[in-house]
Amino acid sequence: MTVSALVEGTEEAAAAAWEGLSEAELREEVRKYEEAIREVGRDLLERGVRFDASLVDTRALQPGGAGTANEDEVLGSVDDLDPSEWEVPSQCVPIHTNVTLYDWKKLYSVEQFDVIMMDPPWQLATHNPTRGVALGYSQLTDRHITSLPVNKLQRDGGFLFVWVINAKYKFTLDLFKEWGYEMVDEIVWVKLTVNRRLAKSHGFYLQHAKEVCLVARKGKADPEGTKKSVSSDIIFSERRGQSQKPEEIYEIIEELVPEGKYLEIFGRKNNLRDYWVTVGNEVTGTGMPPEDLEATKEGGGIHGAVYGASNKK
């Protein structure tokens, strides 16, 4: 099935082209059409053309407020994923919990990890953080992220991968020092559309089409079995669901430290992967963990969750 079959041909020709496709191929075609609609919507919005807003989530297309430095501006929700894209791998270990309340000692007292990856829900920099940003998750203050006992989860020689937004780049470098790490490298994900064009989103000065993952190491030695000069520090990959990082980052880590012990913090159901421990409040796709559910039933808010300006440290 091709776009030209629909645009240039008849309905009969389009139907005939569809008949020969497998279910997986049909799903891929649907995904391409949905992305094409979003691209058209973005282009129309940038040109100031009025159009049927039901075709695209315009909240994600509006220019961000001053100081906004968020990379999750388009995209949609992980809840929209087909189950086959996130069903639980047989060799993964999901831990469904609020990371700010989790008893981390239960984990680090029995296991130390060669690699930890984090994609923190950074608190945005503006007083109106959801303007132009369709966030599907709450945010955490810098204080809550700093309080995570990351350094206790690794012996000297462990690698730490942290996805950062522009406003938190320096903060993360300072955080490495506080936790006892030094920055050793960085990985840049260049976001692409299904048509292999730059998937640009709004920024304060420049349009953003990339995300950065900083790589740090605890101590001077590398984890046992670490390979040198692997892969590349640039990932060219299509953007996926909101806050969903490219599959290639896992492949790079597993190539860097083969057969290592891997931990992801702030993971979601789409991040589950064989031989990884994944901790987060959305790893099951079945709703909030018990501690958050109880807090909301009692009329309070989820512990640590905020929606507001990042002047609340």
Side-chain angles (χ1 to χ4, degrees):
M1 182 60 193
T2 64
V3 173
S4 60
L6 280 177
V7 176
E8 300 173 4
T10 64
E11 290 185 10
E12 291 77 10
W18 254 323
E19 286 180 0
L21 299 181
S22 67
E23 182 177 348
E25 290 170 329
L26 284 172
R27 291 183 183 279
E28 176 62 16
E29 290 300 323
V30 170
R31 185 183 67 82
K32 289 180 180 179
Y33 292 138
E34 290 175 342
E35 176 59 27
I37 290 172
R38 284 191 287 269
E39 281 201 59
V40 170
R42 286 190 289 270
D43 185 59
L44 291 174
L45 192 63
E46 290 174 358
R47 294 171 184 268
V49 179
R50 301 185 66 177
F51 63 96
D52 182 359
S54 67
L55 293 176
V56 64
D57 184 0
T58 56
R59 295 173 304 167
L61 306 179
Q62 300 293 336
T68 298
N70 177 58
E71 301 297 338
D72 297 323
E73 295 184 281
V74 184
L75 309 186
S77 170
V78 172
D79 294 326
D80 297 330
L81 292 174
D82 182 85
S84 64
E85 297 185 40
W86 58 263
E87 61 187 5
V88 178
S90 60
Q91 301 298 320
C92 77
V93 181
I95 300 176
H96 189 210
T97 186
N98 181 322
V99 299
T100 65
L101 298 177
Y102 180 56
D103 184 359
W104 289 97
K105 187 175 181 180
K106 290 182 179 179
L107 186 58
Y108 64 69
S109 63
V110 297
E111 192 60 88
Q112 296 286 291
F113 295 90
D114 299 306
V115 181
I116 298 175
M117 182 166 68
M118 298 170 51
D119 181 18
W122 299 108
Q123 189 176 7
L124 304 188
T126 68
H127 288 275
N128 188 12
T130 56
R131 180 186 174 194
V133 182
L135 287 177
Y137 54 85
S138 57
Q139 306 155 52
L140 290 182
T141 65
D142 296 349
R143 176 174 56 84
H144 281 103
I145 293 172
T146 302
S147 66
L148 294 174
V150 170
N151 57 344
K152 294 184 178 180
L153 290 159
Q154 290 186 309
R155 301 186 183 92
D156 281 355
F159 287 118
L160 175 61
F161 289 66
V162 181
W163 291 94
V164 297
I165 59 176
N166 291 354
K168 299 300 181 181
Y169 199 105
K170 183 181 183 303
F171 170 81
T172 303
L173 294 179
D174 294 338
L175 188 57
F176 285 160
K177 292 181 180 179
E178 183 170 339
W179 281 344
Y181 290 77
E182 64 172 340
M183 180 176 164
V184 295
D185 220 322
E186 72 174 19
I187 296 171
V188 175
W189 169 28
V190 179
K191 298 180 178 181
L192 303 177
T193 68
V194 293
N195 297 318
R196 308 302 288 179
R197 296 169 56 190
L198 286 180
K200 294 182 287 187
S201 60
H202 292 285
F204 186 40
Y205 292 110
L206 304 174
Q207 293 183 11
H208 296 160
K210 67 174 176 61
E211 289 194 36
V212 175
C213 182
L214 302 182
V215 185
R217 184 184 62 193
K218 185 180 180 184
K220 299 299 182 183
D222 297 328
E224 184 177 352
T226 297
K227 293 185 176 181
K228 303 294 179 64
S229 193
V230 302
S231 189
S232 169
D233 61 351
I234 304 291
I235 296 172
F236 292 92
S237 181
E238 293 178 17
R239 64 184 172 196
R240 302 163 74 188
Q242 186 180 66
S243 195
Q244 188 174 3
K245 297 305 182 281
E247 194 77 9
E248 289 87 343
I249 189 65
Y250 300 95
E251 296 169 357
I252 290 173
I253 289 172
E254 291 168 4
E255 184 179 1
L256 177 67
V257 187
E259 300 182 9
K261 296 177 180 178
Y262 314 117
L263 169 67
E264 180 167 8
I265 304 175
F266 302 111
R268 310 176 85 184
K269 62 187 179 185
N270 55 276
N271 302 123
L272 299 180
R273 187 173 176 89
D274 280 333
Y275 314 116
W276 282 70
V277 175
T278 306
V279 183
N281 65 353
E282 297 183 30
V283 296
T284 66
T286 59
M288 293 182 287
E291 58 269 32
D292 288 350
L293 188 60
E294 189 64 27
T296 57
K297 284 182 178 179
E298 294 176 356
I302 297 174
H303 182 76
V306 293
Y307 291 94
S310 61
N311 57 355
K312 300 176 183 178
K313 302 294 185 183

